[in-house]
Amino acid sequence: MSRNLELFERGKKVIPGGVNSPVRAFGQVGGTPRFVARAEGAYFWDADGKQYLDYVGSWGPAIVGHAHPDVVKAVQDAAVGGLSFGAPTEGEVVIAEEICKLLPSVEQVRLVSSGTEATMTAIRLARGFTGRDLIVKFEGCYHGHSDSLLVKAGSGLLTFGNPSSGGVPADFTKHTLVLQYNDVEQLARTFAEIGDQIACVILEPIAGNMNLIQPSQEFVQALRGLTEKHGAVLIYDEVMTGFRVAKGCAQGLHGITPDLTTLGKVVGGGMPLAAFGGRADIMGKIAPLGTVYQAGTLSGNPLSVAAGLATLKLIQQPGFYETLGNRTARLAQGLAEEAMKAGVTLSTDSVGGMFGFYFSDKAPKSYAEATGCDIERFKRFFHAMLDEGIYFAPSAYEAGFVSIAHTDAMIEQTIAAAGRAFARVAG
Ligand code: KE4
């Protein structure tokens, strides 16, 4: 029996589903999850010692490659000085200054330990700042697992959310409006009708949780204009896109100044560090200054801050994003070329170090289009690539991630492997 299977069977006895986050269980693709024994650069080795080229990278954090010597040393050096104090440290000031330097829209920032905490608090802050209850999200966007965000579109014009998870009372989602990504007309109609009741709109500025879906410039411009006009707080949830798609994040690519931004993943370099920040007048409402409460035992802990600072230094090296973006674009192009050769219908897209591929004739622009892709063929392709030693996200509704450690040769090796995999799934 493979060690992966043995560990999975053992794990399921003591951990629900054998995993500590649902997507890791291979539920959509079937088969046995690969238990990572160790990772370095672009690779990880599973419990059976098999090597994989990793295009998940911990769902985004590993942008400089796994176990980068600078990041590991920074964490080791921090660890010998103590792991957590529950008291302020110099490093927290330094990384807050760094984030504010990199993101002009962020005048003040608060560190937390997960993206869920960051978005949950950003929404509470927007509600506290505006005195309004209603929030808006978009179908197919994921912002972590806080109750008011676990909603699916309701029926009817103003699609107030229905809980998408067990254990979430309807009362907890009745103030959450779910609109369609990239639907400018619905957005305008909604704001015309109830814009002055809306506390905030939270957006994945480049969606990565219904596969990669880019917004139209018209959509992001309309969203910024309408929120400004109606006094609603615009929250750019850049937990995934932050320092992933560009040094200036998605807001830099869009030329949009959001009121609040949430960060995670890359900003912590793989350690538990996330953040929310933005306009000083809004951030001034958070405790201990204001009445909006938020707290965290491990917020800003020295090891996460050390990993984050080391990572933020590495991504600012000259040419980092040009190289990363070119390699990612080459991967997307190569996948499309190989699929065409095999007669398989495939579209691809990429932004910075993030990519998506879709078994459909065009890149989806909405949740409905994303769910219309050929999932069965995706599953077969996923496993064919796993056989080739290439690890893509185990879900058709996730984006892929390239690190700076993925060399041109590795990208070409992946494209060649995809050619063989497409041939297996054609027809
Ligand atoms: P965490 O609580 O998982 O740190 O962050 C939640 C979150 C918030 N906002 C966005 C845009 C996110 O993508 C996420 C988490 N992303 C998923 C990837 N689809 C994490 C992977 C998982 O759930 O295991």
Side-chain angles (χ1 to χ4, degrees):
M1 175 190 278
S2 103
R3 284 276 292 147
N4 291 309
L5 184 56
E6 180 204 331
L7 287 168
F8 195 34
E9 294 308 315
R10 269 175 56 196
K12 285 190 279 191
K13 292 189 176 74
V14 288
I15 306 170
V19 293
N20 286 306
S21 199
V23 71
R24 305 177 191 175
F26 275 28
Q28 190 186 85
V29 293
T32 302
R34 296 318 190 252
F35 280 65
V36 178
R38 73 177 186 88
E40 187 175 346
Y43 294 104
F44 75 76
W45 288 263
D46 72 8
D48 288 329
K50 182 174 178 180
Q51 176 185 287
Y52 295 87
L53 253 178
D54 180 14
Y55 286 99
V56 174
S58 181
W59 303 98
I63 197 168
V64 298
H66 291 294
H68 190 289
D70 297 5
V71 179
V72 171
K73 184 172 185 319
V75 174
Q76 288 171 329
D77 291 352
V80 296
L83 304 188
S84 180
F85 314 118
T89 61
E90 179 181 356
E92 291 162 80
V93 176
V94 174
I95 200 169
E97 289 170 339
E98 195 66 9
I99 292 167
C100 293
K101 178 194 83 176
L102 288 166
L103 283 176
S105 72
V106 178
E107 296 175 325
Q108 290 219 316
V109 63
R110 169 68 58 89
L111 303 180
V112 293
S113 299
S114 73
T116 294
E117 269 192 277
T119 57
M120 172 180 71
T121 312
I123 283 166
R124 184 183 306 136
L125 184 53
R127 284 172 159 156
F129 178 74
T130 60
R132 302 171 183 176
D133 294 341
L134 194 56
I135 65 172
V136 174
K137 75 176 290 290
F138 296 93
E139 187 161 41
C141 289
Y142 175 70
H143 304 286
H145 60 90
S146 63
D147 285 341
S148 56
L149 289 168
L150 290 178
V151 292
K152 57 181 182 284
S155 56
L157 172 66
L158 293 183
T159 57
F160 286 93
N162 300 317
S164 63
S165 163
V168 176
D171 270 3
F172 282 32
T173 60
K174 68 182 182 184
H175 297 302
T176 306
L177 200 56
V178 182
L179 301 183
Q180 296 307 310
Y181 205 78
N182 273 325
D183 188 336
V184 177
E185 196 278 326
Q186 182 193 40
L187 189 67
R189 197 172 70 235
T190 301
F191 269 88
E193 292 187 21
I194 56 171
D196 297 340
Q197 299 171 42
I198 294 172
C200 65
V201 177
I202 186 166
L203 173 80
E204 278 193 60
I206 295 169
N209 289 286
M210 48 176 160
N211 210 319
L212 170 69
I213 292 187
Q214 295 208 52
S216 67
Q217 196 57 20
E218 185 194 8
F219 181 65
V220 296
Q221 295 288 356
L223 188 53
R224 177 64 285 184
L226 288 164
T227 47
E228 202 138 24
K229 178 181 175 187
H230 292 273
V233 173
L234 176 59
I235 302 172
Y236 259 38
D237 176 3
E238 300 228 38
V239 166
M240 185 183 281
T241 54
F243 309 118
R244 163 57 63 181
V245 296
K247 188 165 68 167
C249 308
Q251 58 195 265
L253 295 178
H254 294 170
I256 292 285
T257 302
D259 301 308
L260 292 178
T261 297
T262 52
L263 296 169
K265 298 177 191 280
V266 170
V267 77
M271 292 288 282
L273 189 149
F276 63 95
R279 282 171 34 193
D281 60 331
I282 300 176
M283 293 299 287
K285 299 296 182 188
I286 204 86
L289 300 179
T291 62
V292 180
Y293 195 69
Q294 177 273 332
T297 303
L298 299 178
S299 295
N301 81 79
L303 275 66
S304 295
V305 166
L309 279 171
T311 301
L312 291 180
K313 184 175 179 191
L314 288 164
I315 64 170
Q316 293 181 69
Q317 288 173 324
F320 182 92
Y321 286 95
E322 185 186 2
T323 302
L324 183 69
N326 289 341
R327 288 181 184 161
T328 308
R330 169 59 190 140
L331 175 62
Q333 174 201 41
L335 291 175
E337 288 168 352
E338 292 303 322
M340 187 174 292
K341 282 183 204 168
V344 172
T345 302
L346 187 92
S347 306
T348 64
D349 194 5
S350 76
V351 186
M354 221 168 132
F355 67 95
F357 57 89
Y358 329 87
F359 285 94
S360 65
D361 56 7
K362 64 181 173 47
K365 284 296 173 201
S366 70
Y367 176 70
E369 290 179 13
T371 53
C373 297
D374 185 343
I375 303 299
E376 277 311 305
R377 199 184 296 271
F378 167 80
K379 284 167 61 175
R380 289 160 51 207
F381 177 72
F382 170 83
H383 281 287
M385 290 300 272
L386 214 50
D387 292 345
E388 295 276 351
I390 310 291
Y391 187 77
F392 281 145
S395 164
Y397 301 138
E398 297 285 355
F401 303 95
V402 177
S403 84
I404 203 68
H406 286 76
T407 63
D408 293 328
M410 292 172 191
I411 298 292
E412 296 308 319
Q413 175 198 334
T414 304
I415 292 167
R420 294 189 291 272
F422 284 126
R424 286 175 58 184
V425 306

